[in-house]
Amino acid sequence: MRNGNWSDIYGGLGVAALGLLALWLCLPLPMGTLRNMGAGLFPFLAGGIVAAIGVAIAARGIFRPHAVAETWDVRSFVSVCGAIALFVFGLDRLGLPLTILGMVAVGGLGTGTLSLLEVLIVGGALALICTIGFVVLLGVPMPLMGAWR
Amino acid sequence: MGELLSHLQLGLSVAGSPVNLFYCLVGALAGTLIGVLPGLGPVTTVAMLLPITYYLDPTSALIMLAGIYYGAQYGGSTTAILVNMPGENSSVVTAIDGYQMARKGRAGAALAVAALASLFAGCVATFGLAGAAPIMAKLVLVFGAPEYFALMVLGLVASIAMANGDPLKAIAMIALGILLSLVGTDPSSGLLRMTMGIPELVDGVDFVPLAIGLFAVPEILANLRAPQEHGVLQSKLKDLWPNRKEASRAWPAAVRGTIIGSVLGILPGGGATLASFISYTTEKKLSRYPKEFGQGAVEGVAGPEAANNAGAQTSFIPLLTLGIPGNALMALLAGAMTLHGIQPGPLVMTSNPDLFWGLIASMWIGNLMLVVINLPLIGIWVSMLKIPYRLFGPALLVFCCIGAFSVNNSGFDVLMMMAFSLLGYAMMKWKFEAAPLVLAFVLGPMMEDNLRRTLLLAHGDASVLVTRPISAGILLVAVAVLVLLALPAIRRGRKAAFVEET
């Protein structure tokens, strides 16, 4: 295949899918009249535009000169999501300092950008800074000790 | 005039209080830091710090966030000149001649010209903001729902022009942003829209997880494996002052840059980056020595640096007088104001005069602080560049999570942030821009509300939008911008202007 801008094709299809999802979610809502707009009218219009433009981008992408989409750094992305998930599910159980240390370990080692020693130094420093800065000074209600105690 | 002076006096007394001076300094320092560090922009930083400002007084919060924005304009020029690596998009053109000056041993002069031009522009533009804002606020009182709707359409169309990629993709992102903003309870009927039965979505998608997910996390991922070597120029910084010839060539450029930046900052979609580009081209055209451009022309530093700082200041005008943010960063500040229960718009001036004038006065103080922060302390900032980015990455990620969490103290918001990170990462890889989406997300509910009111008052006749002169005029401009964007010659010109940014 000579033609095809794959960023446009993937992106256009993704956008179109989100638009269609919105249209489907808005179907049960009342459209109302122009004089008295219903809850569904504006989101239905917006969803329709999203879907239509998504299709247009993908269709145009087929005829544009060939270009592959950038590859995803799946390993880094999963590591970063893992670190975020650790924050969500670990905060109450582990407490903030341990959670941060864990996040740095998952993120740093998972992406392969930090060595074990760096994880301990950066994680320890961050745990200290965040505890003092956010919990002590600003009073963000995050537990320092988890439920494991 | 007397009124203006008393307003400014009020502002100075608010901004001069020790607490606000402290947060102004924090903002200026943070702005300089992120300006110096590549790959961390003001939009990302403000998105991360936004929820934390909830714990501050609203005036202090806005003073700090504003300081980050204009502070980044100073910091960005430092690395542009010394390392040929613009820390911010708005300093891209500064790097062209600034770095050449540095290579010729005039690094100190280039830095001083950049800082002083910025200071001059910042002071003048802030004065313009103080003078223009009350007049604008009075003018917009005649605006009804159709005019507001038309203005928001213009703002969104302008953001397409600002997006440095494909206009069609920018339109898709605008529509998607509006769509996302409509999730939750419909304000007029109370019906739930697109919540998919998730109870946390009844109040809608929260702004902070959206902004962090779309801007910050993809940037962290993109910079993980970014090259770390910068050839820091080891030139001696002893000549910190421009000589007479440089000064006499720099100041007219700074004045022109200030005017260009002030005007472009007010326009919807405008701001620092566009202003610096236009100023550079203007200087090149007007100069008696056009051949020196690209070889270290001092005008090429003074003009754009004045323009980007002036643009940064005056882009507050649409937000503070109309309640309509002109660019993504102003959209974030609008979010910060709403977080504190302040509705951005013409009423801020009368309902929160201390906040309004305090913010404006703090810009003068902040600009003065920035000259001190940037000129004598330049060595510290340059040495920051030696710390590898990979050590910052985990810290940023932790700040993102705490930021998203602290809006409602809910883990659900952090999960939303993760979902938007996926969206943001996909958008980055497939070359869709996040800025139009965020702007549309803020404007979406206001657009629906104003459209609904327009149609209700006109008995369902949408033609009022084009029969009322002001709204017709605004929509005409929006159509003109769209047509211009579609013309092939302009498309090529835009590509050339943005080529160094991408």
PDB file of all heavy atoms in Angstrom, chain A residues 101-123:
ATOM      1  N   LEU A 101       7.220   5.912  47.646  1.00  0.00           N
ATOM      2  CA  LEU A 101       8.390   5.070  47.392  1.00  0.00           C
ATOM      3  C   LEU A 101       8.047   3.986  46.365  1.00  0.00           C
ATOM      4  O   LEU A 101       8.795   3.724  45.425  1.00  0.00           O
ATOM      5  CB  LEU A 101       8.851   4.447  48.708  1.00  0.00           C
ATOM      6  CG  LEU A 101      10.295   3.938  48.740  1.00  0.00           C
ATOM      7  CD1 LEU A 101      11.269   5.065  48.441  1.00  0.00           C
ATOM      8  CD2 LEU A 101      10.610   3.315  50.095  1.00  0.00           C
ATOM      9  N   GLY A 102       6.856   3.389  46.563  1.00  0.00           N
ATOM     10  CA  GLY A 102       6.410   2.350  45.632  1.00  0.00           C
ATOM     11  C   GLY A 102       6.206   2.891  44.230  1.00  0.00           C
ATOM     12  O   GLY A 102       6.588   2.258  43.244  1.00  0.00           O
ATOM     13  N   MET A 103       5.610   4.096  44.150  1.00  0.00           N
ATOM     14  CA  MET A 103       5.374   4.687  42.829  1.00  0.00           C
ATOM     15  C   MET A 103       6.675   4.934  42.092  1.00  0.00           C
ATOM     16  O   MET A 103       6.790   4.674  40.895  1.00  0.00           O
ATOM     17  CB  MET A 103       4.641   6.027  42.971  1.00  0.00           C
ATOM     18  CG  MET A 103       3.179   5.914  43.292  1.00  0.00           C
ATOM     19  SD  MET A 103       2.485   7.561  43.528  1.00  0.00           S
ATOM     20  CE  MET A 103       2.438   8.132  41.839  1.00  0.00           C
ATOM     21  N   VAL A 104       7.667   5.473  42.813  1.00  0.00           N
ATOM     22  CA  VAL A 104       8.952   5.754  42.177  1.00  0.00           C
ATOM     23  C   VAL A 104       9.592   4.443  41.721  1.00  0.00           C
ATOM     24  O   VAL A 104      10.174   4.355  40.636  1.00  0.00           O
ATOM     25  CB  VAL A 104       9.880   6.527  43.132  1.00  0.00           C
ATOM     26  CG1 VAL A 104      11.245   6.726  42.506  1.00  0.00           C
ATOM     27  CG2 VAL A 104       9.267   7.868  43.483  1.00  0.00           C
ATOM     28  N   ALA A 105       9.435   3.395  42.546  1.00  0.00           N
ATOM     29  CA  ALA A 105      10.004   2.100  42.177  1.00  0.00           C
ATOM     30  C   ALA A 105       9.330   1.561  40.928  1.00  0.00           C
ATOM     31  O   ALA A 105       9.992   1.167  39.962  1.00  0.00           O
ATOM     32  CB  ALA A 105       9.855   1.111  43.339  1.00  0.00           C
ATOM     33  N   VAL A 106       7.987   1.568  40.913  1.00  0.00           N
ATOM     34  CA  VAL A 106       7.260   1.037  39.754  1.00  0.00           C
ATOM     35  C   VAL A 106       7.560   1.874  38.511  1.00  0.00           C
ATOM     36  O   VAL A 106       7.881   1.353  37.448  1.00  0.00           O
ATOM     37  CB  VAL A 106       5.735   1.013  40.031  1.00  0.00           C
ATOM     38  CG1 VAL A 106       4.956   0.662  38.770  1.00  0.00           C
ATOM     39  CG2 VAL A 106       5.421   0.014  41.132  1.00  0.00           C
ATOM     40  N   GLY A 107       7.481   3.200  38.676  1.00  0.00           N
ATOM     41  CA  GLY A 107       7.707   4.075  37.530  1.00  0.00           C
ATOM     42  C   GLY A 107       9.154   4.054  37.059  1.00  0.00           C
ATOM     43  O   GLY A 107       9.428   3.913  35.874  1.00  0.00           O
ATOM     44  N   GLY A 108      10.072   4.197  37.994  1.00  0.00           N
ATOM     45  CA  GLY A 108      11.492   4.294  37.640  1.00  0.00           C
ATOM     46  C   GLY A 108      12.060   2.995  37.107  1.00  0.00           C
ATOM     47  O   GLY A 108      12.754   2.971  36.092  1.00  0.00           O
ATOM     48  N   LEU A 109      11.761   1.884  37.806  1.00  0.00           N
ATOM     49  CA  LEU A 109      12.303   0.594  37.364  1.00  0.00           C
ATOM     50  C   LEU A 109      11.537   0.098  36.138  1.00  0.00           C
ATOM     51  O   LEU A 109      12.116  -0.471  35.217  1.00  0.00           O
ATOM     52  CB  LEU A 109      12.228  -0.444  38.482  1.00  0.00           C
ATOM     53  CG  LEU A 109      13.023  -0.108  39.750  1.00  0.00           C
ATOM     54  CD1 LEU A 109      12.802  -1.166  40.825  1.00  0.00           C
ATOM     55  CD2 LEU A 109      14.518   0.010  39.440  1.00  0.00           C
ATOM     56  N   GLY A 110      10.213   0.343  36.147  1.00  0.00           N
ATOM     57  CA  GLY A 110       9.390  -0.126  35.032  1.00  0.00           C
ATOM     58  C   GLY A 110       9.788   0.524  33.720  1.00  0.00           C
ATOM     59  O   GLY A 110       9.873  -0.139  32.692  1.00  0.00           O
ATOM     60  N   THR A 111      10.043   1.813  33.756  1.00  0.00           N
ATOM     61  CA  THR A 111      10.449   2.477  32.525  1.00  0.00           C
ATOM     62  C   THR A 111      11.930   2.265  32.241  1.00  0.00           C
ATOM     63  O   THR A 111      12.421   2.598  31.180  1.00  0.00           O
ATOM     64  CB  THR A 111      10.196   3.992  32.605  1.00  0.00           C
ATOM     65  OG1 THR A 111      10.875   4.499  33.754  1.00  0.00           O
ATOM     66  CG2 THR A 111       8.726   4.311  32.729  1.00  0.00           C
ATOM     67  N   GLY A 112      12.639   1.734  33.232  1.00  0.00           N
ATOM     68  CA  GLY A 112      14.057   1.470  33.043  1.00  0.00           C
ATOM     69  C   GLY A 112      14.901   2.738  33.040  1.00  0.00           C
ATOM     70  O   GLY A 112      15.973   2.769  32.449  1.00  0.00           O
ATOM     71  N   THR A 113      14.413   3.796  33.671  1.00  0.00           N
ATOM     72  CA  THR A 113      15.180   5.038  33.649  1.00  0.00           C
ATOM     73  C   THR A 113      15.947   5.270  34.948  1.00  0.00           C
ATOM     74  O   THR A 113      16.839   6.099  34.985  1.00  0.00           O
ATOM     75  CB  THR A 113      14.262   6.244  33.401  1.00  0.00           C
ATOM     76  OG1 THR A 113      13.125   6.131  34.245  1.00  0.00           O
ATOM     77  CG2 THR A 113      13.801   6.288  31.958  1.00  0.00           C
ATOM     78  N   LEU A 114      15.570   4.565  36.012  1.00  0.00           N
ATOM     79  CA  LEU A 114      16.265   4.768  37.286  1.00  0.00           C
ATOM     80  C   LEU A 114      16.879   3.450  37.741  1.00  0.00           C
ATOM     81  O   LEU A 114      16.321   2.368  37.527  1.00  0.00           O
ATOM     82  CB  LEU A 114      15.288   5.253  38.366  1.00  0.00           C
ATOM     83  CG  LEU A 114      14.622   6.621  38.205  1.00  0.00           C
ATOM     84  CD1 LEU A 114      13.864   6.963  39.470  1.00  0.00           C
ATOM     85  CD2 LEU A 114      15.649   7.692  37.919  1.00  0.00           C
ATOM     86  N   SER A 115      18.029   3.558  38.405  1.00  0.00           N
ATOM     87  CA  SER A 115      18.603   2.366  39.025  1.00  0.00           C
ATOM     88  C   SER A 115      18.002   2.209  40.420  1.00  0.00           C
ATOM     89  O   SER A 115      17.337   3.114  40.925  1.00  0.00           O
ATOM     90  CB  SER A 115      20.119   2.516  39.117  1.00  0.00           C
ATOM     91  OG  SER A 115      20.417   3.549  40.040  1.00  0.00           O
ATOM     92  N   LEU A 116      18.245   1.047  41.037  1.00  0.00           N
ATOM     93  CA  LEU A 116      17.655   0.777  42.345  1.00  0.00           C
ATOM     94  C   LEU A 116      18.089   1.827  43.369  1.00  0.00           C
ATOM     95  O   LEU A 116      17.278   2.317  44.165  1.00  0.00           O
ATOM     96  CB  LEU A 116      18.068  -0.628  42.802  1.00  0.00           C
ATOM     97  CG  LEU A 116      17.287  -1.176  43.996  1.00  0.00           C
ATOM     98  CD1 LEU A 116      15.797  -1.230  43.672  1.00  0.00           C
ATOM     99  CD2 LEU A 116      17.794  -2.559  44.386  1.00  0.00           C
ATOM    100  N   LEU A 117      19.367   2.210  43.311  1.00  0.00           N
ATOM    101  CA  LEU A 117      19.879   3.202  44.251  1.00  0.00           C
ATOM    102  C   LEU A 117      19.182   4.545  44.050  1.00  0.00           C
ATOM    103  O   LEU A 117      18.774   5.215  45.006  1.00  0.00           O
ATOM    104  CB  LEU A 117      21.394   3.353  44.058  1.00  0.00           C
ATOM    105  CG  LEU A 117      22.079   4.321  45.036  1.00  0.00           C
ATOM    106  CD1 LEU A 117      22.044   3.777  46.449  1.00  0.00           C
ATOM    107  CD2 LEU A 117      23.516   4.597  44.614  1.00  0.00           C
ATOM    108  N   GLU A 118      19.015   4.898  42.764  1.00  0.00           N
ATOM    109  CA  GLU A 118      18.338   6.177  42.464  1.00  0.00           C
ATOM    110  C   GLU A 118      16.894   6.152  42.940  1.00  0.00           C
ATOM    111  O   GLU A 118      16.365   7.154  43.409  1.00  0.00           O
ATOM    112  CB  GLU A 118      18.386   6.459  40.955  1.00  0.00           C
ATOM    113  CG  GLU A 118      19.753   6.941  40.488  1.00  0.00           C
ATOM    114  CD  GLU A 118      19.873   6.983  38.973  1.00  0.00           C
ATOM    115  OE1 GLU A 118      19.211   6.183  38.278  1.00  0.00           O
ATOM    116  OE2 GLU A 118      20.638   7.813  38.477  1.00  0.00           O
ATOM    117  N   VAL A 119      16.245   4.980  42.806  1.00  0.00           N
ATOM    118  CA  VAL A 119      14.869   4.852  43.277  1.00  0.00           C
ATOM    119  C   VAL A 119      14.804   5.168  44.764  1.00  0.00           C
ATOM    120  O   VAL A 119      13.944   5.937  45.219  1.00  0.00           O
ATOM    121  CB  VAL A 119      14.327   3.437  43.008  1.00  0.00           C
ATOM    122  CG1 VAL A 119      13.068   3.176  43.820  1.00  0.00           C
ATOM    123  CG2 VAL A 119      14.047   3.246  41.531  1.00  0.00           C
ATOM    124  N   LEU A 120      15.754   4.608  45.532  1.00  0.00           N
ATOM    125  CA  LEU A 120      15.724   4.814  46.973  1.00  0.00           C
ATOM    126  C   LEU A 120      15.979   6.276  47.319  1.00  0.00           C
ATOM    127  O   LEU A 120      15.286   6.857  48.157  1.00  0.00           O
ATOM    128  CB  LEU A 120      16.767   3.921  47.649  1.00  0.00           C
ATOM    129  CG  LEU A 120      16.416   2.425  47.626  1.00  0.00           C
ATOM    130  CD1 LEU A 120      17.553   1.600  48.202  1.00  0.00           C
ATOM    131  CD2 LEU A 120      15.131   2.172  48.407  1.00  0.00           C
ATOM    132  N   ILE A 121      16.946   6.891  46.627  1.00  0.00           N
ATOM    133  CA  ILE A 121      17.267   8.293  46.940  1.00  0.00           C
ATOM    134  C   ILE A 121      16.114   9.207  46.530  1.00  0.00           C
ATOM    135  O   ILE A 121      15.595   9.991  47.335  1.00  0.00           O
ATOM    136  CB  ILE A 121      18.569   8.721  46.227  1.00  0.00           C
ATOM    137  CG1 ILE A 121      19.748   7.886  46.744  1.00  0.00           C
ATOM    138  CG2 ILE A 121      18.830  10.209  46.439  1.00  0.00           C
ATOM    139  CD1 ILE A 121      21.009   8.048  45.939  1.00  0.00           C
ATOM    140  N   VAL A 122      15.689   9.096  45.247  1.00  0.00           N
ATOM    141  CA  VAL A 122      14.630   9.975  44.755  1.00  0.00           C
ATOM    142  C   VAL A 122      13.332   9.712  45.513  1.00  0.00           C
ATOM    143  O   VAL A 122      12.642  10.652  45.942  1.00  0.00           O
ATOM    144  CB  VAL A 122      14.424   9.777  43.231  1.00  0.00           C
ATOM    145  CG1 VAL A 122      13.225  10.564  42.734  1.00  0.00           C
ATOM    146  CG2 VAL A 122      15.673  10.189  42.473  1.00  0.00           C
ATOM    147  N   GLY A 123      13.005   8.432  45.694  1.00  0.00           N
ATOM    148  CA  GLY A 123      11.769   8.084  46.395  1.00  0.00           C
ATOM    149  C   GLY A 123      11.764   8.579  47.826  1.00  0.00           C
ATOM    150  O   GLY A 123      10.776   9.151  48.302  1.00  0.00           O
TER     151      GLY A 123
END
